[in-house]
Amino acid sequence: MAPGAPVRSLTSAVHAALRSDILTCRLAPGEKLPVAALAKRFDVSLSAVREALSRLVADGFVLSEDQRGFRVSPLDLADLLDLTSTRIEIEALALRRSIARGDAGWERAVRESWDALRQVPYALARQTAPHDGGWADLHFAFHEALVSACGLGWLMRFRKALFEQSERYRALARAVGGSDRDVNAEHAAIVEAALARDAAAAEAALALHFTTTMELVRAAVPAGSPPR
């Protein structure tokens, strides 16, 4: 880290780096996060690391345990099923509202985000890292565009938190191996139904998309796995 940088900016930098490592599973689910080692890695104070970890606890990405320190929140099958079901409910509501309320600007945003995403091969999804401008960011922008006319701020914030938690499961699945699924076709089905203002078809396509991802991830997440 840059010498002489304000403590808050150092904390934010550590938070961003750790968050990226957790979302991509470079820091494995359940992995311990020793404060002293992280302070040495980032060349910052212990307090900066503790504050960054505390933020990640609030985000749900890190657990804090009395007398045992910090560790990456574990992943398991029960959580995956719960997360996917909740995402389908929340995202479908946001999508339905956007289809009902979206104007020409919303339609343009959906088309532009879809055009940008399909230009990048799905194979590059395995090279994902948040905020690097690659497939993961385009994928997030695409799904966000679809629901951008929702009009409910709290719903959108909750939706974003669910999406980010799902990124960890997708990263774990990508690390295990490939799939011959046609993600572009899944996305195209959602776009076509949304732009046709067919809310029922759009919701069904969205649910199938999320469920397909869940089934692929299940192979990488052991049922009832104990925290490491």
Side-chain angles (χ1 to χ4, degrees):
M1 299 293 176
V7 173
R8 185 155 296 279
S9 66
L10 290 175
T11 298
S12 296
V14 173
H15 172 269
L18 291 175
R19 188 173 180 279
S20 176
D21 284 350
I22 291 169
L23 283 175
T24 56
C25 289
R26 287 191 290 264
L27 285 171
E31 184 172 340
K32 292 183 178 180
L33 299 168
V35 173
L38 291 172
K40 182 176 180 180
R41 169 187 166 186
F42 293 111
D43 192 22
V44 298
S45 67
L46 297 177
S47 61
V49 172
R50 288 195 185 98
E51 183 176 343
L53 290 171
S54 295
R55 291 186 193 177
L56 291 165
V57 169
D59 293 339
F61 295 121
V62 167
L63 296 180
S64 176
E65 300 171 318
D66 291 342
Q67 308 302 320
R68 299 182 64 182
F70 298 92
R71 62 187 176 89
V72 179
S73 296
L75 301 179
D76 62 45
L77 183 55
D79 180 63
L80 170 63
L81 297 174
D82 188 350
L83 176 61
T84 302
S85 296
T86 305
R87 284 191 72 207
I88 289 172
E89 294 292 333
I90 295 298
E91 195 99 5
L93 173 57
L95 181 58
R96 182 165 65 251
R97 287 180 56 86
S98 289
I99 289 172
R101 302 174 72 254
D103 56 13
W106 170 75
E107 292 184 358
R108 182 169 57 254
V110 170
R111 288 192 178 95
E112 289 176 352
S113 64
W114 168 226
D115 286 341
L117 178 61
R118 62 181 172 177
Q119 298 305 315
V120 180
Y122 178 59
L124 296 183
R126 293 189 200 165
Q127 302 170 15
T128 186
H131 313 306
D132 69 351
W135 192 93
D137 292 335
L138 293 172
H139 184 239
F140 175 82
F142 165 72
H143 279 284
E144 189 166 64
L146 283 165
V147 298
S148 59
C150 168
L152 296 177
W154 276 106
L155 183 67
M156 292 296 283
R157 285 193 285 274
F158 189 30
R159 174 216 162 258
K160 182 179 180 182
L162 293 170
F163 188 100
E164 290 178 340
Q165 289 292 338
S166 297
E167 280 298 296
R168 301 178 64 209
Y169 286 101
R170 278 192 289 271
L172 186 61
R174 286 190 291 264
V176 169
S179 164
D180 58 0
R181 71 185 292 196
D182 191 343
V183 174
N184 277 350
E186 294 173 27
H187 287 150
I190 302 170
V191 170
E192 290 168 8
L195 294 179
R197 307 289 176 154
D198 187 340
E203 290 177 35
L206 182 75
L208 177 61
H209 177 53
F210 287 175
T211 302
T212 301
T213 298
M214 180 188 71
E215 292 300 330
L216 291 172
V217 173
R218 288 179 73 168
V221 182
S225 58
R228 289 188 292 171

